[in-house]
Amino acid sequence: MFVAGLGAMAGLQGRSAQRASQPSVDSRLMHLPIADICNHGAHWMVPNGAGRQLQDAPIGLADVEVAFENCLYRISSRGLPEQRRTALCLLELAGDACADGDDVWCVDALRRSAMEVIPEAGRRLAASFEPGALPRATYRSLDQLRKDVHAEFSGKSTYQDAMLALEIELVDRTGLGLEGLTSPLTVADLMQVLGEKDSGEVVGATTMDRFDWVAKDEGLKLGELLRSIGQETINARPEDYPEDLGAELANWLGRNFPDDPAVPLTPHQRRHVLRLLVDHINARIPQRSSNAEATD
């Protein structure tokens, strides 16, 4: 019933808000307008069987609708066709329904159903095309994937919060004045100032050690964020990225971001996180210079 309810929800995209209508005596829960369901409290009495005996049905579709819309919004910048966005979000909601419940067989049931539904959908889709060869995929490299997802990656609040935390830690530990910068910083500049300063706050811990602790914490979040966006993009765009690019992405992430809180930050990972911070800081310099010229 959950899958059928989700299928009915596909029509919600782009539809204006519904007004509640009179309850239907011959409709099952999955066929009722969302507005009807939401406006009648926590439960709806729905007909059950030919004898129209009523049973108390728990309402969960209001939460599903919100999650569905949130998913559509989250992936809206990826330029996917409408049908693909709908299908991917419905699949995500189906997985969440299993993960959030207490039915230990839910995932297996979902997998078995998918193994039936997906091939059949493929056959129906292929039959709808004119005779002839289907278009072939033109695959992009990992470097191109990173460029393709960077705007989404750097626009997330997780990324912005990480840059702010790293910037505050850098200024606190080194006293470096970032507001007066008029020329771009380099990773070498930050490495030098971190190496020269020693807070002395912790015995046996240098300024670089202290910065590394924050860089590792934020790097863990950044690596997971980029992994999630990158893998979702690979899965969602089979015309652009080969399926095995996910393994290549995972190897690249392991080299450039920390992935284990118990393992110290490597020098290469430190430089990569610093590169992101440098780019974030330098991006403000042209704007600052333009504002200064405008006031002269």
Side-chain angles (χ1 to χ4, degrees):
M1 179 173 175
F2 177 79
V3 175
L6 288 178
M9 280 189 58
L12 291 172
Q13 188 177 6
R15 184 187 303 173
S16 60
Q18 304 178 54
R19 292 184 179 274
S21 60
Q22 291 299 318
S24 172
V25 295
D26 58 0
S27 295
R28 295 190 61 80
L29 177 63
M30 69 182 74
H31 300 140
L32 295 175
I34 292 295
D36 281 346
I37 297 171
C38 295
N39 289 347
H40 284 80
H43 293 82
W44 182 273
M45 301 301 291
V46 298
N48 180 34
R52 297 188 183 278
Q53 295 178 349
L54 297 182
Q55 67 175 16
D56 204 18
I59 299 301
L61 291 185
D63 292 339
V64 169
E65 182 179 358
V66 172
F68 179 70
E69 292 175 350
N70 287 342
C71 176
L72 291 174
Y73 175 78
R74 193 187 78 244
I75 66 175
S76 61
S77 64
R78 298 178 186 173
L80 301 176
E82 179 180 345
Q83 293 91 340
R84 198 184 309 180
R85 294 199 311 268
T86 299
L88 290 172
C89 285
L90 289 173
L91 178 62
E92 180 176 303
L93 263 64
D96 288 344
C98 286
D100 294 341
D102 55 4
D103 178 4
V104 297
W105 301 108
C106 183
V107 172
D108 280 343
L110 180 61
R111 177 182 54 81
R112 291 184 186 186
S113 297
M115 290 174 66
E116 293 291 330
V117 170
I118 293 174
E120 175 60 24
R123 288 189 290 269
R124 289 166 53 195
L125 178 64
S128 69
F129 284 97
E130 295 292 334
L134 293 176
R136 298 185 62 181
T138 303
Y139 289 146
R140 302 177 185 178
S141 66
L142 177 62
D143 286 343
Q144 186 61 50
L145 171 67
R146 289 169 51 205
K147 293 176 184 177
D148 292 344
V149 302
H150 183 73
E152 182 177 352
F153 174 56
S154 59
K156 294 293 187 182
S157 60
T158 298
Y159 180 95
Q160 298 296 329
D161 291 345
M163 292 301 106
L164 178 60
L166 289 167
E167 190 172 316
I168 290 173
E169 185 68 14
L170 176 69
V171 172
D172 285 350
R173 298 299 167 198
T174 67
L176 186 63
L178 300 179
E179 294 305 318
L181 288 176
T182 57
S183 58
L185 288 170
T186 66
V187 173
D189 292 334
L190 297 191
M191 291 287 292
Q192 180 178 354
V193 72
L194 285 167
E196 290 174 349
K197 298 290 183 178
D198 186 358
S199 65
E201 294 180 17
V202 179
V203 176
T206 65
T207 299
M208 187 73 79
D209 293 332
R210 301 279 291 179
F211 182 82
D212 276 0
W213 296 342
V214 177
K216 182 175 71 173
D217 287 345
E218 301 304 326
L220 287 164
K221 302 172 191 174
L222 292 171
E224 175 55 28
L225 174 64
L226 186 53
R227 183 207 64 76
S228 175
I229 294 174
Q231 189 61 61
E232 284 184 355
T233 302
I234 292 170
N235 294 344
R237 302 197 71 94
E239 71 273 35
D240 292 328
Y241 309 104
E243 191 170 359
D244 58 5
L245 190 62
E248 191 176 344
L249 172 64
N251 290 334
W252 184 89
L253 289 170
R255 291 193 305 272
N256 290 277
F257 290 95
D259 58 6
D260 186 342
V263 177
L265 201 69
T266 69
H268 182 78
Q269 290 167 349
R270 178 195 301 126
R271 292 185 67 86
H272 186 76
V273 173
L274 283 174
R275 164 54 57 195
L276 294 176
L277 178 59
V278 162
D279 290 345
H280 179 74
I281 293 171
N282 289 343
R284 302 201 301 265
I285 294 177
Q287 180 180 358
R288 187 181 301 122
S289 300
S290 299
N291 291 341
E293 293 173 0
T295 56
D296 288 344

